[in-house]
Amino acid sequence: PGNLSIISKGTSFEIGGTADFYGSVLAPYAAVKLHGDSNFYGALIGRTVDMLGNFQFHVDESLPITDFFDPPMPSLVK
């Protein structure tokens, strides 16, 4: 989970399906929807969070909490 961080300024964010997700999501303005038959390993911040189906959430306590409150600035990658 420490190798993938998704940062979103949008108002909605959705993860679903049957594949497991390993990473962190910072979407403080988004209505987050987690659905399907899979596992989320990592950390998540959203305006609201709805979990539907057989979705399981596992917090990775080894992730540094400071990354959520001081995220890196986005940069253009060529």
Side-chain angles (χ1 to χ4, degrees):
N3 293 329
L4 174 65
S5 294
I6 297 174
I7 301 170
S8 172
K9 287 188 174 184
T11 58
S12 65
F13 189 87
E14 187 172 333
I15 296 177
T18 57
D20 292 343
F21 178 87
Y22 295 83
S24 59
V25 176
L26 175 61
Y29 308 109
V32 178
K33 183 177 176 183
L34 307 173
H35 60 88
D37 187 22
S38 60
N39 294 287
F40 184 110
Y41 298 93
L44 170 80
I45 293 178
R47 182 175 50 91
T48 61
V49 177
D50 288 321
M51 293 176 58
L52 308 166
N54 194 27
F55 203 93
Q56 301 292 313
F57 194 93
H58 309 275
V59 175
D60 186 342
E61 295 177 354
S62 70
L63 291 173
I65 193 68
T66 56
D67 287 351
F68 281 102
F69 298 105
D70 189 22
M73 294 300 297
S75 60
L76 179 62
V77 178
K78 290 184 178 185

